[in-house]
C-alpha cells in the first residue's frame, strides 16, 4: 500500500475509535517501510484532531472521544517503542523534566514528545499528567534538570505554565532551568508573553527546540 493509503486508514480508525484496526494499520505500515512518526502525525494525529473538532461542534460525544484516545494511545505506544529502539546509542546531552500541567489529563502528545526527545540522548523524567507547578520544580531541583517541559491541551489550564514561570522567578530558579512549552492551544506568542524560553508546535519541533536550549 502507499503512504497515502495508510494515512487514509489511520484517519478512519481514529474516527471509528477502532484500536485494533489502528494498531494493525501502524504495524503493517512499519513492515512496509513507512516512517511511523510521519504516519502518526499525518494520519492518526490528523484523525484525532478531526474527532476533537466534531466533539467541539457537538457532532461527536465524550465516549467517542475516549475511544479515539484509547486507539491513539495504543498506536503511539507502538511508535514510541520503534522510535526508542532507533535511538539507543546516542551520547547523553542533558536531563529534562516533563509533565502535563495541573488540571489537565491530556497526555498523548506529551508521550510522543517524550519518546522523540529521548532519542537525542536527553534523559526525560516524565511526571505524567495533572501535575502541580511546584511539584515540577521540586523534581527539577531533585534531579538537577537542565530543562523543564510542560504540556497543556485546555485553554483553562495553559495559565499553569505562567504559574510555573512565576514560581521559578520567585524562587530564583529562572536562570537554572530552561523552559519549553507546547500543546494544541499554546502558541509562540503565549510563550513570549509568559517568559517561557521556547515553544514547540509538534514533537519534531520539540526536539529541535530542546536541543537548541541545551547547546
Ligand atoms: C484525546 C482527547 C481527550 C482524551 C485525552 C486522553 C489522554 N490520555 O490524553 C479525553 C477523552 C480524556 C479528553 C478529555 C477532555 N477533553 Co479533550 N481532547 C482530546 C483531543 C480529541 C485530542 C488530543 C490529542 O491527543 N491529540 C493528539 C496529540 C498527538 O496531539 P497534541 O496533544 O496536540 O500534541 C502535539 C503538540 O501539541 C505538541 N505538544 C504536546 N505537548 C507538548 C509539550 C511540549 C513541551 C512541546 C514542546 C510540544 C508539545 O507535540 C505533540 C505531538 O506532535 C483534543 C482535540 C484537539 N484538537 O487537540 C480534545 C480537546 C483538547 N479536549 C477538549 C475538552 C473540552 C476536554 C474535556 C473538558 C471534555 C469533557 N467535557 O470532559 C476533558 C478534559 C479533561 C481534563 N481535565 O483534562 C477540548 C479543549 C477545548 C479548549 N478550548 O480548551 C478539545 C480541543 C476538543 C474540542 N474541540 O472541544 N480529551
Amino acid at each position: 500500500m502507499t503512504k497515502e493509503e495508510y494515512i487514509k486508514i489511520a484517519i478512519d480508525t481514529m474516527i471509528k475509535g477502532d484500536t485494533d484496526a489502528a494498531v494493525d494499520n501502524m504495524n503493517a505500515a512499519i513492515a512496509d517501510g513507512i516512517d511511523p512518526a510521519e504516519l502518526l502525525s499525518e494520519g492518526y494525529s490528523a484523525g484525532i484532531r478531526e474527532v476533537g473538532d466534531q466533539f467541539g461542534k457537538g457532532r461527536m460525544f465524550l465516549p467517542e472521544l475516549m475511544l479515539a484516545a484509547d486507539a491513539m494511545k495504543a498506536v503511539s505506544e507502538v511508535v514510541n517503542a520503534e522510535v526508542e529502539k532507533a535511538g539507543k546509542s546516542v551520547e547523553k546531552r542533558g536531563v529534562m523534566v516533563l509533565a502535563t500541567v495541573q488540571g489537565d489529563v491530556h497526555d498523548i502528545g506529551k508521550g510522543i514528545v517524550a519518546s522523540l526527545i529521548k532519542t537525542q540522548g536527553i534523559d526525560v523524567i516524565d511526571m505524567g499528567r495533572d501535575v502541580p507547578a511546584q511539584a515540577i520544580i521540586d523534581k527539577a531541583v531533585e534531579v538537577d534538570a537542565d530543562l523543564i517541559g510542560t504540556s497543556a491541551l485546555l485553554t483553562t489550564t495553559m495559565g499553569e505554565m505562567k504559574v510555573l514561570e512565576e514560581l521559578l522567578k520567585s524562587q530564583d530558579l529562572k536562570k537554572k532551568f530552561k523552559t519549553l512549552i507546547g500543546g494544541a492551544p499554546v502558541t509562540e506568542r503565549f510563550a513570549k508573553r509568559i517568559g517561557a524560553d521556547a515553544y514547540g508546535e509538534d514533537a519534531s519541533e520539540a526536539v529541535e527546540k530542546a536541543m537548541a536550549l541545551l547547546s
Side-chain angles (χ1 to χ4, degrees):
M1 274 203 293
T2 63
K3 184 175 160 191
E4 283 60 41
E5 285 169 312
Y6 284 114
I7 289 176
K8 202 165 164 289
I9 296 175
I11 294 174
D12 197 46
T13 60
M14 283 298 118
I15 290 166
K16 290 189 179 130
D18 187 338
T19 298
D20 290 345
V23 170
D24 288 349
N25 184 57
M26 176 56 86
N27 282 327
I30 293 170
D32 234 355
I34 308 282
D35 182 334
E38 280 177 22
L39 181 59
L40 190 69
S41 95
E42 292 168 38
Y44 296 96
S45 294
I48 202 164
R49 272 198 302 275
E50 175 61 27
V51 173
D53 288 350
Q54 296 297 328
F55 172 77
K57 289 176 186 152
R59 295 196 196 125
M60 281 176 109
F61 303 97
L62 198 54
E64 289 159 303
L65 200 65
M66 289 169 84
L67 280 179
D70 286 348
M72 183 73 185
K73 239 187 160 149
V75 171
S76 50
E77 272 160 25
V78 174
V79 179
N80 292 350
E82 276 301 304
V83 169
E84 281 173 30
K85 241 195 277 166
K88 280 267 148 64
S89 57
V90 180
E91 65 172 285
K92 290 288 163 224
R93 288 210 174 87
V95 179
M96 176 181 196
V97 169
L98 181 66
T100 298
V101 297
Q102 185 163 32
D104 200 324
V105 304
H106 296 85
D107 65 353
I108 297 170
K110 170 185 64 65
I112 298 169
V113 166
S115 50
L116 234 68
I117 287 186
K118 278 186 205 159
T119 64
Q120 301 304 310
I122 299 171
D123 273 338
V124 178
I125 290 126
D126 188 341
M127 296 182 71
R129 52 197 191 174
D130 189 14
V131 187
Q134 187 60 51
I136 300 173
I137 295 174
D138 292 346
K139 180 55 85 179
V141 170
E142 180 196 323
V143 300
D144 195 21
D146 304 290
L147 204 56
I148 294 177
T150 47
S151 178
L153 265 286
L154 297 171
T155 45
T156 50
T157 58
M158 290 163 71
E160 284 299 312
M161 292 169 161
K162 183 163 182 248
V163 171
L164 179 88
E165 295 297 332
E166 282 165 357
L167 286 173
L168 284 173
K169 275 185 220 136
S170 69
Q171 292 164 30
D172 210 14
L173 291 167
K174 182 60 195 155
K175 288 207 179 78
K176 184 164 168 49
F177 307 116
K178 298 280 182 204
T179 51
L180 173 63
I181 63 172
V186 180
T187 60
E188 184 89 57
R189 203 159 150 239
F190 176 73
K192 286 216 169 80
R193 203 172 73 218
I194 66 168
D197 295 298
Y199 156 75
E201 186 177 8
D202 53 25
S204 49
E205 215 179 280
V207 170
E208 210 179 282
K209 298 287 177 75
M211 299 292 278
L213 289 174
L214 287 176
S215 65

